[in-house]
Each structure stands twice: as structure tokens, then as C-alpha cells.
Amino acid sequence: MKTIKKLGTTLCALAALSACQTTENKANNQATTQAKMEQYQPKPYVEIQHPEWSKSATIYEVNIRQYTKEGTFNAFAEHLPRLKGLGVDILWLMPIHPIGEKNRKGGRGSYYAVKDYQAVNPEFGTLDDLKSLVNQAHEMGMYVILDWVANHSAWDNPLTETNPEWYTKDHNGNFQPTPWWDWSDIIDFDYENPEMRKYMTESLLYWVKEANIDGYRADVAGFIPTDFWDNARKELDQIKPVFMLAEWDARDLHKKAFDMTYNWGLHDVMHDVATGKKDGGAIYHFFAHSLSAWPDNAITMNFVDNHDKNSWEKTMFDRFGPYLHASIVLTATAEGMPLLYSGQEAGLDKVLAFFEKDEIEWREHPIGDMYKSLFTLKHQNQALWNGNWGGKMIPVPNTAPKALFSFARQKNEDKVFVVINFSDKTQTATFNENIQWGNYTEWFTQQPQVIEEQTALTIEPYGYRIFVKT
């Protein structure tokens, strides 16, 4: 009898052990499966954190030389209240450094031929004047980024004497402008040299520490190795959260370095439509490609004008003609951050000389009123905010696809439905979606509008509507 009981006890123990082992094996198998699945989990492509203050921001390019008669920081500072009232958040100052004299182009030279990376152009004022401008902007709730020319320097930058090995050389062993370009007033840096990278990074850090600026716009950023920018951003963010804009349009720059890149493609397709090279359907196809290919939370800068376009490709009026207002509306309502260039708000209708003094004529203008209205809407409506703070563009197909471009954006309780006529004829259309159904107020007229399944809208040539959910 004792033997039977002992055997029973042993069997129970073995059963318990087996159950325990089974449970343990299941747990191990689950852990193994989870580990295997981890490699398939999606991860955000954009690893940097955009500064909180950029969530609904707009950006304004400042051409100090041409902005006022004096062409100084202090004279420009008098415009800050006006720009704040316009709805500007980020002030991008074109390069503020001394300009080289050797091989200079024109009488004043190019901003982008930098003679000293840690000094201020005396034409604009002093370092204290720059600090004062930054402080005044901060007090008004605006932020300041500097244009940074990391790819090349002026011929007479002292680095050519102290560290000639920091520059690339041509086949004859001489300093050279950036190969293949006609930039005869500058010479090319060599980013294979770690000491040169260290100097350039320390110069970037200098202005954040010394003048309390808030970031940079990087000239021809794609000409410089991406790993340089990745490290520079890491070091800058250790001082304070910065905002970085790249003059480029490659997705890899967004991963660890830049908050925003240029939306050259949007400008170019709008220009093609405005000049009759393409019909309005090209706008839809542009976004079909770009929004599918671009990573989430990577901000693009949308524009109809900037210093390059104005200087070398005529005025915004010449480039867009009667399509100008429609194009402006799209840049301010599509995913991305809208840019306003110095003088646009005054109806800048001349090409500003790039190498000479050529003062902007300031005046009241309807384009200024339009930007103020659009910037107000952007600040108020979360659907139009930047990156993941805002809503994705949702296509709303219509029955006039070669002329009308229509889309919706929605975030939390906010929604906008945008319809733009990129043609010279009146268009009437219905819409093949349901995201746009609802009660709205049209932003510019403040007229109520109910949009239902069978609603047809009629839009005049070059016209536009922004319907805001009520």
C-alpha cells in the first residue's frame, strides 16, 4: 500500500514537472516568436524631435541688404512688429557673415562667399546688434535661424592660409570652385578632412551659444556628406532644441539632421501648370508620388518665391501670372510649412539685384493680406499644422480632374476641404469621396456651405475655396 502511495506521489510530481515544463516551453516559444517579430515592427524613419514651437510655424526669408535703406539689423528690427502681425514665426536671415573681396561678383558681392564664419558683416551692424535682433524676436514669440554656407568659402577666407588642406584641389593642385558650377567667387571645402568638419561644427555651435539663435538653413545641404549634418544636429540639440532647414529635397536628410527640406517639386509643377506645359491634373499626380514616397513627420517647405527664384528666374508675377493666388493658397494649405520671401507681402514685382544694393519698396498689397489670412488659419486650425501635429492630405477626386485639385485634411476636431481651379475656365464638379461631407464656412468669404454626397461646386478661373469645418 505504501508502495502504491509513493508511486502515486511520484507520478503527481512528474505530472506537475511536465506541466511546469510545458508552461515554460510555451513561454519560451512566445518569447522567441516575439523576438523574431520584432524585426518586422515598423519604426519611424524620422528620428529627430522637431522643436515644440515649430508645430504650427510659418517661415520668412530675410534679405537684410535689400530690406531697408540702411540695410542693417537695427533697421530691419523696426519691421518685427509688422511681421509678427503678419503671422510670421521663423525668421530665416540670409548669410550674415563678412563677404569675400577676392574674385567678388558685383560691387557688394554674394552673401554666400563667406570670409569669416565667426564674424558679422560690418555692413549689417555688430554682433551686439545681431543679439539685440534675436532678443527682440524672441520677446515677440518669433525664432531666428541663420543661413549657413558649409560647402564653400570666399577665396580670401583666412582658412586658405592657415589650413589650405581643408579645401579640395583641382587636377593642378589649386583651390577650385565647386566642380561643374560657375561659382567663381568661392572655393570648395574638403569634407574628407576631420579637422575641417570639427571647425565647421564648432562654428555652428558658436552662434547658438553666442547669439542664442534657434537653428540654421543649410545652403546646398546635399553637397555635404549627410553624416556631417547628422552629427552637427546631435551636438546642436545638446545646447537647445534647434530647427534645421536644408536647401535640398532628399529624404535621408530628414532621418537625423533636418526638420525641413525644400519642396522644389511643388514649385516646379505649379509653374508648369501656370505656363501651360501641363494641365491641372499634374498637381494631383505630383502629390500622388511625393506623399507616397516621403516619410511621415518630414516637413517640406512650400513656396512660390525665394531669393534664388526671384534673382535668377524673374518675379513671382512673371512665373505664375494669373495662377499666382491659387498657387499661394496651395502652398499654405498642403502638407508642409509655407515660406514668405522678403517683399512678397508688398507685391514684390522686380528682380532684386543679388550682388548690389537694391532696396525693396514697401507698400500695402493684397498679397500681404492673403498671406496674413492664410497664416491666421494655419495657426488656428490643427489640420494645417506641420509634420505629425497636422493632418494628412486626403485626396478627394472630382469630375473635373484636369482642372480642379481637391483634398481634405483633418486633425482631432479640425478639418478643411480645399478646392483650387488650376485652369483658365470656370469649372463645375461633384466629388467622389465622403471625407468632405459636412458643414463648413468658406474661409475667405465667411459664407456657410453644406457639402453632401451630390453637392456640386462651381469655381471661377484660377479660383479657390477653403472650407473650414464648423
Side-chain angles (χ1 to χ4, degrees), residues 32 47 68 112 121 189 419 466:
T32 300
E47 296 180 8
T68 61
Y112 296 87
N121 186 343
F189 279 122
V419 186
I466 303 176

Side-chain angles (χ1 to χ4, degrees), residues 266-267 270 301-304 326-339 371 374 378 420:
L266 178 58
H267 173 279
M270 292 189 303
M301 185 176 72
N302 306 328
F303 55 88
V304 297
S327 299
I328 289 173
V329 168
L330 182 54
T331 64
T333 55
E335 288 183 46
M337 184 185 299
L339 167 72
Y371 271 106
L374 290 167
K378 183 176 180 71
I420 305 175

Side-chain angles (χ1 to χ4, degrees), residues 76-91 132-144 379:
F76 168 68
E78 296 178 8
H79 286 257
L80 291 179
R82 177 182 66 80
L83 293 174
K84 178 65 176 178
L86 188 61
V88 170
D89 299 299
I90 302 173
L91 299 168
S132 175
L133 173 60
V134 174
N135 288 338
Q136 291 178 66
H138 287 172
E139 289 172 358
M140 295 182 190
M142 293 187 284
Y143 299 83
V144 179
H379 290 145

Side-chain angles (χ1 to χ4, degrees), residues 333 335 378 380-386 389-392 409-412 414-416:
T333 55
E335 288 183 46
K378 183 176 180 71
Q380 292 178 358
N381 197 295
Q382 290 185 39
L384 299 181
W385 286 7
N386 303 314
W389 286 300
K392 301 296 182 186
R409 294 181 68 186
Q410 182 172 288
K411 189 71 173 183
N412 297 327
D414 288 336
K415 181 168 68 173
V416 296

Side-chain angles (χ1 to χ4, degrees), residues 186-221:
I186 58 89
I187 50 177
D188 210 44
F189 279 122
D190 182 3
Y191 274 81
E192 293 302 305
N193 189 303
E195 291 298 320
M196 185 267 147
R197 289 184 175 219
K198 181 173 182 290
Y199 166 83
M200 191 60 70
T201 304
E202 289 175 345
S203 296
L204 287 163
L205 300 174
Y206 169 82
W207 291 100
V208 177
K209 294 175 181 176
E210 186 67 25
N212 198 25
I213 65 155
D214 303 292
Y216 291 95
R217 177 265 188 188
D219 186 58
V220 292

